Amino acid sequence: MIQPNYIGGEWRHASEAIANINPSNTNDIVAHYAQATHADVQDAIDAAATAFPAWSRSSIQLRHDILKGIGDEILARKDELGMLLSREEGKVLADGIGEVVRAGQIFHFFAGECLRLAGDRLASMRPGVEVDITREPVGVVGLITPWNFPIAIPAWKIAPALAYGNCIVLKPAELVPGSAHALADILARAGLPAGVFNLVMGSGSVVGEAILRSDNVDAISFTGSVTTGRKVAEACVASDRMKKMQLEMGGKNPLVVLDDADIELAVGCALNSAFYQTGQRCTAASRLIVTDKIHDSFVERLIDAMHGLVVDDALKPEASIGPVVDQRQLDQDLRYLRLGQEEGGRLACGGEVLARATPGFYLSPALFTEIDQTMRIAREEVFGPVAAVIRVKDYGAALAAANDTRFGLSAGICTTSLKYASHFKRNAEAGTVMVNLPTAGTDYHAPFGGRKGSSYGPREQGRYAQEFYTTVKTAYTLPA
Ligand code: ADP
């Protein structure tokens, strides 16, 4: 059975489908998913555009109730949906379930936000004139999502889009259509008018491009690689109506460890930041910038802790890390492992392809030492369980190294010094700063996004999501 697309309120079959393969066991096919054609995408966009006038003026109570219902169902089915997610993406089951819970909470948060959208009223320069500032929905939004958070990222784009009255065309990543399809099934039964939400599965080059090139799409929210992000930006600017855009892309996030750090806490932060979820989080730390005096003991204890990580089938309860997502990503990780050594780094631990009971893309977490900031392993995003330790002499050098990157998503520091913590919070060039916490792991009610080459456009999540999913109107009235 092929899982269909959802277009204009109906499930639509396609002649082509792809198999969704479990990276923990490549003999296990999760299901087959329809690949949308160019014409399917056009129909989805037309359906969204047709639904927009009514949905954009719909009752906020109705929107609240629908979003609340979606959140309720996601939470009620967290175990089953978490299992599906872990099966298709390869993160361990506890993380899969945790991500599903997060998605449910996001829908609940934005159910409340439907009722809280506010405007402003100003006095005018001209006596008797009223100035009203209101927020209106943007229109048809194209949501293009990556494989590493198969339900949370679609949720944190869909929920605010609906809350503020937009219509949606969602294109999930080819590798993980299952979670997005399950979410679409919940949305299809939630009471949304036909066309408000559409799911088109397929490749970036067909489905993604068709969304980008359409003149009937008003805005694009994209999460993925830097290379694709740039293409998205170019297409948005080139289109007749200059699509609004929001891009979340890569990172090369630093975690600074100072001499005065609580070493146990620092090792825990590094282990989590660099290796949990197989290092496949855009907020993962891949540069551990460590001051001289603590360097050797930190590295020794981190390697000890790495030996305690169990790499295995994501569905096994004892697994602390699942497989890499696919062969292409594994090849990339292995390329960087070779490159790091060729550049003069020392592979101090891990980096081995592992055999397990089932065929999968298993890689032991890898730690490089003797890395400096000029090496490619310290500058380019690997997106795997690979971290590099960079030795520096003091806090000043650590901050300079932390900021010496074209990215700026998340930056962490482990220190017991209030002085250095405060200075780092102010001076780290990143959208998110973590003090004595892992670089990954954010709250859903707080804004998320980065600086420099990591992000473009307004922040996602929390109240700040309204910057992207609404457009401001200023009305001047002379009550005559
Ligand atoms: P990754 O390398 O991590 O898969 P991508 O940036 O390639 O990251 O993918 C993120 C999302 O962008 C996916 O849904 C993918 O299908 C989509 N995508 C890839 N290429 C294009 C493109 N040319 N136009 C639009 N979307 C694309």
Side-chain angles (χ1 to χ4, degrees):
M1 150 98 176
I2 295 171
Q3 303 296 327
N5 289 303
Y6 186 66
I7 298 168
E10 285 173 3
W11 292 102
R12 185 185 291 189
H13 289 278
S15 53
E16 274 188 53
I18 54 158
N20 179 0
I21 292 166
N22 177 352
S24 300
N25 176 6
T26 54
N27 293 327
D28 175 33
I29 294 178
V30 178
H32 289 85
Y33 291 88
Q35 300 290 284
T37 61
H38 193 269
D40 290 335
V41 180
Q42 296 311 322
D43 289 348
I45 294 168
D46 289 349
T50 305
F52 179 68
W55 179 248
S56 65
R57 289 170 177 76
S58 59
S59 136
I60 55 173
Q61 184 68 53
L62 173 72
R63 290 186 216 162
H64 165 278
D65 294 348
I66 290 174
L67 291 183
K68 167 79 169 47
I70 295 167
D72 288 346
E73 181 170 346
I74 293 171
L75 291 175
R77 293 172 54 198
K78 66 181 173 30
D79 294 334
E80 166 215 343
L81 294 172
M83 170 89 78
L84 169 67
L85 196 161
S86 292
R87 231 176 118 202
E88 71 172 349
E89 199 272 352
K91 64 184 70 179
V92 296
L93 189 54
D95 289 338
I97 294 171
E99 188 181 327
V100 171
V101 169
R102 170 61 60 102
Q105 290 166 333
I106 289 167
F107 276 96
H108 281 172
F109 176 83
F110 282 104
E113 288 299 283
C114 294
L115 313 181
R116 280 190 283 265
L117 186 64
D120 232 337
R121 170 168 274 214
L122 300 181
S124 171
M125 304 297 153
R126 289 162 283 180
V129 171
E130 296 164 355
V131 185
D132 291 305
I133 298 148
T134 51
R135 287 182 178 273
E136 294 181 3
V138 177
V140 175
V141 297
L143 309 180
I144 301 179
T145 56
W147 51 260
N148 63 336
F149 287 92
I151 198 165
I153 295 181
W156 82 49
K157 294 183 193 295
I158 292 169
L162 293 178
Y164 301 128
N166 301 281
C167 293
I168 296 170
V169 177
L170 169 69
K171 191 210 97 58
E174 302 89 305
L175 283 176
V176 294
S179 299
H181 191 274
L183 184 57
D185 172 58
I186 294 172
L187 285 153
R189 291 182 283 98
L192 291 168
V196 170
F197 171 81
N198 302 274
L199 171 75
V200 282
M201 298 173 288
S203 70
S205 54
V206 175
V207 178
E209 287 284 337
I211 296 171
L212 291 184
R213 306 286 157 198
S214 168
D215 278 330
N216 290 326
V217 173
D218 300 276
I220 301 279
S221 180
F222 165 86
T223 304
S225 64
V226 178
T227 317
T228 309
R230 284 192 186 279
K231 282 191 205 159
V232 172
E234 282 162 18
C236 287
V237 174
S239 69
D240 259 0
R241 66 170 72 181
M242 306 274 290
K243 296 185 180 59
K244 193 172 181 182
M245 64 177 134
Q246 175 179 59
L247 314 174
E248 291 298 342
M249 299 166 289
K252 191 70 196 171
N253 306 302
L255 176 69
V256 170
V257 179
L258 296 186
D259 289 345
D260 65 21
D262 172 331
I263 190 159
E264 208 159 305
L265 182 140
V267 166
C269 285
L271 196 72
N272 176 326
S273 305
F275 305 122
Y276 284 16
Q277 294 194 27
T278 324
Q280 296 176 154
R281 295 182 287 188
C282 25
T283 46
S286 51
R287 294 185 296 142
L288 308 175
I289 300 168
V290 184
T291 47
D292 254 340
K293 283 206 199 87
I294 201 172
H295 177 278
D296 293 353
S297 49
F298 172 80
V299 167
E300 191 183 317
R301 289 173 74 159
L302 180 57
I303 290 174
D304 272 354
M306 288 168 72
H307 286 134
L309 293 173
V310 178
V311 182
D312 209 334
D313 187 324
L315 299 182
K316 285 195 176 165
E318 62 272 26
S320 31
I321 299 180
V324 172
V325 75
D326 71 350
Q327 186 65 50
R328 197 179 63 127
Q329 183 61 49
L330 180 61
D331 290 343
Q332 174 163 315
D333 298 349
L334 295 173
R335 246 192 339 271
Y336 276 105
L337 285 167
R338 278 195 301 277
L339 180 73
Q341 293 174 84
E342 283 159 20
E343 289 182 303
R346 191 170 82 83
L347 185 57
C349 178
E352 283 150 9
V353 174
L354 305 171
R356 290 293 178 259
T358 48
F361 309 109
Y362 298 105
L363 179 66
S364 61
L367 189 72
F368 277 106
T369 56
E370 285 151 53
I371 296 296
D372 72 55
Q373 266 298 118
T374 63
M375 298 177 184
R376 282 177 61 195
I377 190 83
R379 308 200 73 81
E380 297 172 17
E381 186 176 44
V382 180
F383 220 64
V386 181
V389 179
I390 299 167
R391 185 197 283 261
V392 290
K393 70 175 190 313
D394 57 14
Y395 169 72
L399 177 65
N403 287 338
D404 179 16
T405 166
R406 67 189 175 115
F407 295 110
L409 190 53
S410 182
I413 188 167
C414 293
T415 179
T416 51
S417 156
L418 179 61
K419 183 174 100 175
Y420 290 135
S422 297
H423 191 272
F424 190 79
K425 270 198 284 190
R426 174 63 188 85
N427 293 287
E429 293 165 4
T432 308
V433 177
M434 299 289 193
V435 178
N436 294 321
L437 289 165
T439 53
T442 55
D443 289 357
Y444 63 85
H445 68 303
F448 177 78
R451 296 186 185 179
K452 300 197 265 185
S454 287
S455 303
Y456 193 89
R459 292 285 183 263
E460 300 200 79
Q461 303 199 53
R463 189 161 46 80
Y464 288 73
Q466 64 180 247
E467 288 304 328
F468 180 73
Y469 291 102
T470 66
T471 180
V472 170
K473 179 176 278 172
T474 310
Y476 294 84
T477 309
L478 178 64

